[in-house]
Amino acid sequence: MLLRMSTLFLRTLREDPADAEVPSHKLLVRAGYVRRVAPGIYSWLPLGKIVLENVARVVREEMNRIGGQEVLFPALLPREYYEATGRWTEYGDTLFRLKDRKGSDYLLGPTHEEMFTDMVKGEYSSYKDYPVTLYQIQTKYRDEARPRAGILRGREFVMKDSYSFDLDDDGLKHSYEQHREAYIRIFDRLGIDYRICFAMSGAMGGSASEEFLAPCPTGEDTFVACHNCGYAANAEAVTTPAPPTVTAEQPALRVLDTPDTPTIESLVEYVNEHHGLGITAADTLKNIVVKVRTPGSDKAEVLVIGVPGDREVDFKRLEAALTPGVPEIFEAEDFVRNPGLVRGYIGPQVLASLGLTYLVDPRVVAGSAWITGANEPGKHAAHVVAGRDFQPAGTIDVAEIRAGDSCPRCAHPLSIDRGIEIGHIFQLGRKYADAAGLDALGPDGKPIRVTMGSYGVGVSRAVAVMVEQRHDALGVAWPREIAPADVHIVGTGKENQIEVATQIAEELEARGLRVLVDDRPGVSPGVKFKDSELLGMPTVLIVGRGLAQGVVELRDRATGVKEEIPLAEAVERVFAACRA
Ligand code: ATP
Ligand code: MG
């Protein structure tokens, strides 16, 4: 492959796009890899398309290596498949829904569990047919609430999704392990730094679901890590260990005058000063009201959540805990409609009589005593005891996780970082097989319900993640396997230099390298150097002023190391650098 910049469909930009906040968005647009069409919707230009295909090739090779077979589904799908599993409704506002000319409902596929299940059901019948793993690399559509950061979170994006079909739990575990290993190889080859994090907890079992998160300051996911036992988990999946229940007798509930203390901070300060208490925010019980909307209905239920006053409710943990329900802010007018809820002074004592559901943080154990609202303006109550003065309907683990919190496995302090989800592996079990009635006929003539796994890689997102992790102030530094070319040969100045640069490029192409040559006449050396840094090929060869003395310059984009080498050795040296 030889790309000539004199004819390449490429225009680089000197300015960052106005709507770009993160480095990958700025650089991919400036370097002419992608162009925005609408929020979260991007076109790929020639160099970008090569990068995207290179990522897809790596993913394909590793999926094939574990025996995956590639198929391709349409993105435009009829409602009925998603109706059968409830996802037509449950997917909520994230699903792109549309109608055809006859008025029939369609959707643009956000993920394809239903379709794969149906396909396997149509083709396979006997236990002898299984196991099987199918995958596709295809465009997905999700009307994301917060499309941001360019192709990191698109509304249209490319995903590899695969699905395993097994006859029993051991088979599913094996398929899951194979995917896990394939993902490790994929992300290693992409040169991405990542952590494998638990993504689900409790009922699903320890290893049922893991996310591959790329640590990155711009990431939207928060994950914890324990440097003692190696535990790592998405913050959404972290479980808070419940302290032991309190059996000691507690003093009777006492109402305190606390004028003008609608915040935890003002409350703590007031009661310590005026009531002689020595409390901290952690001794108070903060009650947060949210509305929970069920997708597909206009009805929103009121939910009150009790958390220790030194912690906020983490909205992403809340979203994950309530899914498919969608939490919404409880607005001023909602307070007007619920006069029993006294803003700033809510206590759980009255919630049952108001008919409201009350869920508490796992730290609010039976017998524990709290300072909380007294449901009257300017009043709080002390010695409000869980199980005595109020009865929570259950627990909800949605308080923020902090660095230093105890590891749920070994109790060591956890560290916290941000990351971007690049892959997700998930033991689905029989949910979709149940909905579709996917059975294999067993050796004894009895049906066996098939069990499934689902596994995703963000192919287009991976392109952005590589840039997030591999860039400097000047531009991108692609890993070689993914770069649009192995080497960028820059001919500066006079025609002679461009001619020599082109000759070297042709020789290297003949030896099997993928080459980009800057053969643009009349473009200044400064502009060409800047473009080579912005575009980010791993190896750069400058054919410039030194040519008169028979030397050219070899540069390594990632390390910045530059070396003058004799022209006669240029082909050999570049070849060696690219095949190292
Ligand atoms: P996120 O939490 O980031 O929205 P998700 O949990 O919705 O991701 P999955 O449904 O598991 O993601 O999709 C599989 C993979 O597809 C993800 O690991 C991610 O790499 C990629 N992906 C998901 N949503 C997007 C998007 N809007 N844009 C680009 N890639 C995405
Ligand atoms: Mg998502």
Side-chain angles (χ1 to χ4, degrees):
M1 186 199 76
L2 176 53
L3 297 169
R4 297 170 202 267
M5 284 185 66
S6 56
T7 52
L8 185 64
F9 186 65
L10 170 72
R11 286 293 174 269
T12 58
L13 311 173
R14 291 287 158 250
E15 299 292 325
D16 288 333
D19 63 330
E21 288 164 20
V22 301
S24 62
H25 187 190
K26 292 177 188 169
L27 291 171
L28 286 169
V29 171
R30 276 187 47 208
Y33 286 101
V34 299
R35 288 286 178 260
R36 179 182 181 278
V37 172
I41 304 180
Y42 285 79
S43 304
W44 297 82
L45 277 61
L47 292 185
K49 182 69 164 61
I50 295 173
V51 169
L52 184 64
E53 285 306 314
N54 286 346
V55 175
R57 177 176 41 78
V58 167
V59 172
R60 185 173 280 122
E61 283 172 13
E62 296 302 339
M63 288 311 300
N64 292 346
R65 194 206 288 258
I66 61 164
Q69 300 179 57
E70 187 169 4
V71 297
L72 183 60
F73 280 90
L76 180 62
L77 303 166
R79 169 178 180 163
E80 64 219 48
Y81 295 91
Y82 288 72
E83 188 69 54
T85 57
R87 289 214 290 186
W88 171 263
T89 312
E90 275 180 17
Y91 234 100
D93 292 341
T94 306
L95 194 66
F96 277 106
R97 300 174 178 83
L98 62 159
K99 287 192 192 294
D100 71 3
R101 62 170 76 209
K102 293 189 181 129
S104 309
D105 284 318
Y106 283 78
L107 63 118
L108 296 175
T111 173
H112 279 66
E113 279 78 0
E114 286 83 349
M115 307 313 298
F116 276 81
T117 311
D118 181 76
M119 182 180 268
V120 171
K121 189 180 177 194
E123 305 302 316
Y124 274 7
S125 53
S126 162
Y127 73 97
K128 292 180 194 154
D129 297 330
Y130 291 87
V132 65
T133 290
L134 302 174
Y135 74 96
Q136 62 175 343
I137 296 174
Q138 188 238 24
T139 304
K140 297 277 188 272
Y141 296 86
R142 295 181 184 180
D143 197 357
E144 298 276 1
R146 298 171 284 268
R148 63 181 277 272
I151 57 168
L152 265 182
R153 181 173 296 286
R155 297 199 294 163
E156 173 179 299
F157 58 97
V158 181
M159 194 203 287
K160 184 285 298 177
D161 51 328
S162 47
Y163 305 86
S164 63
F165 298 83
D166 281 279
L167 295 175
D168 55 30
D169 294 351
D170 282 347
L172 171 56
K173 275 207 187 85
H174 178 70
S175 298
Y176 181 90
E177 278 310 314
Q178 280 196 311
H179 272 87
R180 199 175 191 271
E181 283 161 28
Y183 279 31
I184 289 172
R185 281 193 293 265
I186 288 168
F187 297 123
D188 284 349
R189 282 178 69 181
L190 297 185
I192 293 176
D193 176 28
Y194 61 91
R195 306 281 181 278
I196 305 176
C197 298
F198 288 120
M200 276 270 180
S201 54
M204 298 301 302
S207 66
S209 173
E210 288 166 294
E211 286 173 358
F212 288 68
L213 296 183
C216 196
T218 53
E220 288 182 76
D221 282 286
T222 307
F223 68 96
V224 302
C226 173
H227 301 291
N228 183 51
C229 73
Y231 170 84
N234 190 312
E236 287 163 22
V238 176
T239 48
T240 306
T245 55
V246 181
T247 50
E249 188 78 12
Q250 302 281 358
L253 182 152
R254 188 157 64 93
V255 174
L256 308 173
D257 273 324
T258 56
D260 200 18
T261 56
T263 64
I264 295 293
E265 205 186 4
S266 56
L267 169 67
V268 169
E269 201 183 302
Y270 189 91
V271 297
N272 285 346
E273 193 174 324
H274 294 86
H275 294 285
L277 304 182
I279 64 157
T280 70
D283 300 313
T284 69
L285 181 60
K286 177 160 65 182
N287 300 292
I288 312 289
V289 196
V290 293
K291 292 185 288 185
V292 185
R293 195 165 52 80
T294 310
S297 98
D298 298 333
K299 228 177 50 204
E301 263 182 62
V302 178
L303 170 66
V304 186
I305 299 168
V307 293
D310 63 330
R311 299 205 181 232
E312 301 299 329
V313 166
D314 177 327
F315 202 73
K316 286 195 81 180
R317 276 165 60 77
L318 182 64
E319 281 180 325
L322 295 177
T323 191
V326 182
E328 289 176 355
I329 310 265
F330 199 76
E331 311 276 5
E333 67 252 31
D334 296 309
F335 276 101
V336 173
R337 247 176 270 135
N338 291 271
L341 294 172
V342 184
R343 196 172 196 170
Y345 300 92
I346 299 169
Q349 306 85 303
V350 296
L351 298 177
S353 66
L354 294 175
L356 300 179
T357 309
Y358 186 54
L359 298 175
V360 292
D361 183 86
R363 296 168 189 86
V364 185
V365 291
S368 59
W370 303 87
I371 295 183
T372 191
N375 301 298
E376 273 183 68
K379 289 192 195 298
H380 280 86
H383 309 298
V384 182
V385 176
R388 185 188 76 181
D389 301 317
F390 64 93
Q391 288 290 352
T395 57
I396 185 165
D397 202 353
V398 294
E400 62 180 317
I401 306 290
R402 290 200 205 124
D405 284 351
S406 300
C407 170
R409 222 198 250 162
C410 75
H412 261 250
L414 294 169
S415 68
I416 289 210
D417 281 297
R418 301 190 73 79
I420 302 168
E421 183 186 323
I422 46 176
H424 189 182
I425 53 179
F426 189 22
Q427 296 185 25
L428 282 176
R430 297 182 174 80
K431 173 179 171 180
Y432 292 91
D434 282 344
L438 174 60
D439 289 326
L441 200 59
D444 55 1
K446 290 198 186 120
I448 304 167
R449 184 63 29 111
V450 169
T451 182
M452 290 170 60
S454 107
Y455 317 88
V457 170
V459 173
S460 50
R461 178 178 287 183
V463 172
V465 168
M466 283 184 282
V467 178
E468 287 294 321
Q469 291 191 339
R470 307 170 63 108
H471 72 273
D472 57 21
L474 304 171
V476 186
W478 294 111
R480 185 169 303 282
E481 191 161 1
I482 302 308
D486 289 299
V487 59
H488 188 160
I489 301 174
V490 181
T492 69
K494 300 283 153 11
E495 259 160 47
N496 180 30
Q497 285 139 341
I498 290 177
E499 217 166 88
V500 172
T502 304
Q503 263 168 25
I504 296 173
E506 283 166 357
E507 275 181 60
L508 286 168
E509 188 210 13
R511 293 189 61 174
L513 290 192
R514 300 169 302 128
V515 185
L516 174 68
V517 62
D518 196 342
D519 57 347
R520 292 174 294 178
V523 174
S524 81
V527 167
K528 290 188 174 184
F529 296 152
K530 276 215 169 63
D531 279 344
S532 75
E533 279 150 347
L534 182 60
L535 290 170
M537 301 320 125
T539 302
V540 180
L541 185 76
I542 309 283
V543 182
R545 247 182 300 170
L547 192 63
Q549 289 77 50
V551 293
V552 291
E553 189 180 286
L554 188 60
R555 294 183 180 180
D556 184 288
R557 177 66 185 91
T559 62
V561 172
K562 300 176 181 178
E563 191 188 349
E564 298 232 301
I565 59 172
L567 174 65
E569 293 173 17
V571 169
E572 232 18 85
R573 290 291 305 275
V574 169
F575 189 77
C578 293
R579 288 290 153 88

